[in-house]
Each structure stands twice: as structure tokens, then as C-alpha cells.
Amino acid sequence: MDSLLRPLLDAPPAVVYLVCALVITAETAVLPGIVLPTLSTLLLMGFLAERGTLHLGLAWAVAVGAAVLGDQLAYLEGRRWGPRLSHRDRWQRVERAVARYGVPAVIAGRCLAGVRTLVPRVAGSAAMPYPRFAAGSVAAAVLWATAELLVGHTTALVL
């Protein structure tokens, strides 16, 4: 395991922030990003902040910013291409749930692996008003990044 992490552990902090931001953004911005290890990325960032490699506040800002950016890109994709997918029964059910629950659906979606990649697209497709979506996206990113970074940070304290 140590050999897998060695390149990031030895990399300059700017490279670590950049790689982590790309992984977090790509998870929601790119549909195949569903398989990217964002939870592990956030835990690693928290761990590296405790070890002094990263600054916790900057790691938090990078994680939140990257999550929000990925959500916005996916929302725009949903606005553009979602109506072409809305003829599918499952897509319609998810659209109805997002339309019904609004911002809470966006926040809950951020906390569920796999779902966080789809919810912004569905919100865009369902024509959720952008200000509501953006507010939910930011709130969700703040909660998600804070929780995961702090778990990684706390774990480093225990080790």
C-alpha cells in the first residue's frame, strides 16, 4: 500500500492539491468518473494535512471547490442532454424525486457514492432552477468535504 501512495506522499503539495482536485471534479463532471476514488482522495487529503504535507484549510477549499465545479458541469450537461434520456423509466423516477425533494435531494445525492455522479445531471434535466441547485450543491459539498477530510485527519492522529 505504501508503494502505491509513495508518489503522492513525495510530491510537492501543489501537485497533490491539483491531482486531488482533478479526481474530485471528474467524479461528477465526467459520467465514467463514477468509479473514481473520491472518498479515498478526501481521506488522504485529511491524513496528509495532519502529517503537515497539506494545509487543512486549503485542502478543504480545494475539495469543496472541486466538488462544486464538478456538480455545475454535470448540471449543465443534464440541462443540455438530459431530455434525451428522460424517456427512460428509471430516469423519470429519479427526475420526479429530485423535482419533489429539491435541494435536500441534491444534498443527499452528494453523500451517496454513484448517486453523486447522477444527481446533478438529473437536476439539470428536470429543469431544477439553477439558484436552488447551486445552493444545494455548495451546501452538500461543504458537508461532504468537511466530514471526509476530518475523518482522514482524525485517523492520522490515531495512527
Side-chain angles (χ1 to χ4, degrees):
M1 178 69 138
D2 186 43
S3 63
L4 292 174
L5 294 176
R6 184 60 44 206
L8 270 181
L9 295 174
D10 293 339
V15 171
V16 177
Y17 289 122
L18 179 62
V19 168
C20 292
L22 289 172
V23 169
I24 293 167
T25 300
E27 183 197 26
T28 47
V30 182
L31 198 54
I34 199 167
V35 299
L36 292 173
T38 54
L39 173 59
S40 300
T41 301
L42 287 168
L43 294 174
L44 176 65
M45 289 176 81
F47 181 83
L48 291 176
E50 170 52 33
R51 305 291 300 256
T53 304
L54 302 179
H55 182 275
L56 186 60
L58 184 53
W60 178 82
V62 166
V64 169
V68 170
L69 175 61
D71 280 357
Q72 305 320 295
L73 294 171
Y75 176 87
L76 292 172
E77 181 184 359
R79 291 290 288 202
R80 173 86 168 117
W81 302 107
R84 293 181 182 177
L85 299 172
S86 65
H87 67 280
R88 300 195 174 150
D89 186 49
R90 286 185 190 171
W91 188 272
Q92 289 174 347
R93 280 187 278 156
V94 176
E95 269 189 353
R96 284 192 298 272
V98 168
R100 179 176 180 195
Y101 297 108
V103 172
V106 173
I107 293 171
R110 165 61 51 194
C111 298
L112 301 170
V115 176
R116 78 175 133 255
T117 302
L118 300 175
V119 166
R121 285 172 179 77
V122 171
S125 175
M128 176 185 236
Y130 181 74
R132 289 183 62 214
F133 172 77
S137 172
V138 170
V142 166
L143 291 170
W144 177 69
T146 301
E148 303 302 342
L149 284 169
L150 289 178
V151 167
H153 195 264
T154 304
T155 302
L157 288 171
V158 175
L159 298 176

